């Protein structure tokens, strides 16, 4: 074999080897594309507002139960009881919080569809108001009626309420996102008046009653 023929044979061998590598690479790429397509077909569209990572680190407010610990604004509270509301296809919860000093608050948890947390305090006893008006002025704020209705509720733990019943409500909001609520339970003509402040998700840490860290909470 002369030098020219040897050179051609060597060059042809290199081309065949390169072609083989390209073919293998294309095969791998196609396999990965098919695998990705299969994975996508088996998954539901992702919710861009999903808070799974935060819930894993800080606990899921939507799973609060009596006995859990809620930490917010540097203070820890025990969940004494929970009230779960349902109106049509809409559901939300309110949790009665208590601390060692006797400070009593309510934490409302609602997904509509984004998670909203509001910390409520009872209005002072001398606040005498009736709901229903389009706007209500209180303590330098003007609140506007946001929504009203009637829901069914079930309660567990220490809430001061019957195990189940109905509630009428009026919810008001102010321009600075402060909240004002009226709740009337059963046939009572008495209104429970609450003043609320919206909490950022990062302001709330939850420790389950079992003593496990938030990442250990099972569904």
């Amino acid at each position: 074999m002369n030098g020219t023929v040897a050179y051609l044979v060597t060059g042809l061998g290199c081309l065949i080897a390169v072609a083989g590598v390209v073919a293998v690479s294309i095969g791998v790429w196609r396999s990965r594309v098919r695998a990705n397509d299969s994975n996508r077909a088996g998954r539901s569209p992702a919710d861009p507002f999903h808070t799974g990572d935060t819930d894993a680190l800080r606990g899921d407010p939507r799973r609060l139960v009596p006995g859990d610990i809620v930490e917010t604004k540097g203070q820890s509270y025990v969940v004494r009881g929970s009230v779960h509301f349902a109106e049509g296809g809409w559901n939300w919860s309110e949790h009665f919080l208590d601390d060692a000093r006797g400070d009593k608050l309510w934490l409302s948890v609602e997904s509509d569809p984004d998670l909203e947390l509001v910390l409520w305090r009872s209005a002072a006893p001398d606040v005498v108001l009736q709901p229903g008006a389009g706007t209500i002025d209180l303590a330098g704020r003007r609140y506007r009626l946001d929504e009203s209705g009637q829901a069914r509720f079930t309660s567990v733990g220490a809430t001061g309420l019957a195990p189940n019943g109905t509630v009428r409500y009026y919810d008001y909001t102010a321009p600075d996102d402060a909240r004002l609520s009226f709740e009337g339970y059963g046939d009572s003509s008495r209104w429970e008046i609450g003043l609320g402040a919206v909490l950022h998700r990062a302001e709330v840490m939850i420790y389950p009653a079992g003593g496990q860290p938030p990442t250990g909470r099972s569904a």
Side-chain angles (χ1 to χ4, degrees):
M1 180 182 295
N2 59 32
T4 301
V5 173
Y7 175 79
L8 291 175
V9 170
T10 300
L12 182 60
C14 290
L15 289 175
I16 293 173
V18 170
V21 171
V22 171
V24 170
S25 298
I26 291 175
V28 171
W29 174 76
R30 286 177 174 172
S31 296
R32 289 178 176 174
V33 169
R34 285 194 295 269
N36 288 337
D37 289 344
S38 177
N39 289 338
R40 291 192 190 100
R43 290 201 306 262
S44 301
D47 181 356
F49 299 105
H50 181 58
T51 59
D53 291 342
T54 302
D55 294 339
L57 293 172
R58 307 188 67 84
D60 190 348
R62 287 158 290 211
R63 298 184 180 184
L64 277 172
V65 296
D68 286 353
I69 303 295
V70 175
E71 184 178 282
T72 183
K73 298 183 179 296
Q75 185 64 38
S76 296
Y77 300 89
V78 178
V79 177
R80 296 279 308 281
S82 300
V83 187
H84 303 287
F85 301 88
E87 181 182 11
W90 183 29
N91 298 275
W92 72 100
S93 298
E94 295 180 2
H95 304 279
F96 179 38
L97 308 183
D98 195 1
D99 69 0
R101 303 172 305 175
D103 196 13
K104 295 176 174 58
L105 306 172
W106 288 84
L107 176 67
S108 64
V109 180
E110 179 182 339
S111 296
D112 188 28
D114 303 341
L115 178 65
E116 182 182 77
L117 306 173
V118 182
L119 193 63
W120 296 91
R121 294 179 180 273
S122 296
D126 60 348
V127 174
V128 180
L129 295 170
Q130 290 294 319
T135 62
I136 291 178
D137 293 327
L138 177 64
R141 286 191 178 96
R142 171 159 290 185
Y143 296 87
R144 295 188 178 278
L145 181 62
D146 181 48
E147 56 193 1
S148 63
Q150 179 168 303
R152 296 201 60 81
F153 73 85
T154 57
S155 68
V156 292
T159 64
L161 298 173
N164 54 70
T166 60
V167 59
R168 295 162 291 135
Y169 66 88
Y170 289 82
D171 290 337
Y172 290 77
T173 62
D176 61 355
D177 220 18
R179 305 299 173 89
L180 172 66
S181 78
F182 296 81
E183 293 178 338
Y185 288 87
D187 297 329
S188 174
S189 59
R190 179 171 176 266
W191 291 100
E192 303 285 347
I193 304 174
L195 299 173
V198 176
L199 296 176
H200 295 292
R201 180 65 186 85
E203 294 181 285
V204 178
M205 187 78 176
I206 296 167
Y207 299 93
Q212 297 296 320
T215 52
R217 186 69 175 264
S218 60

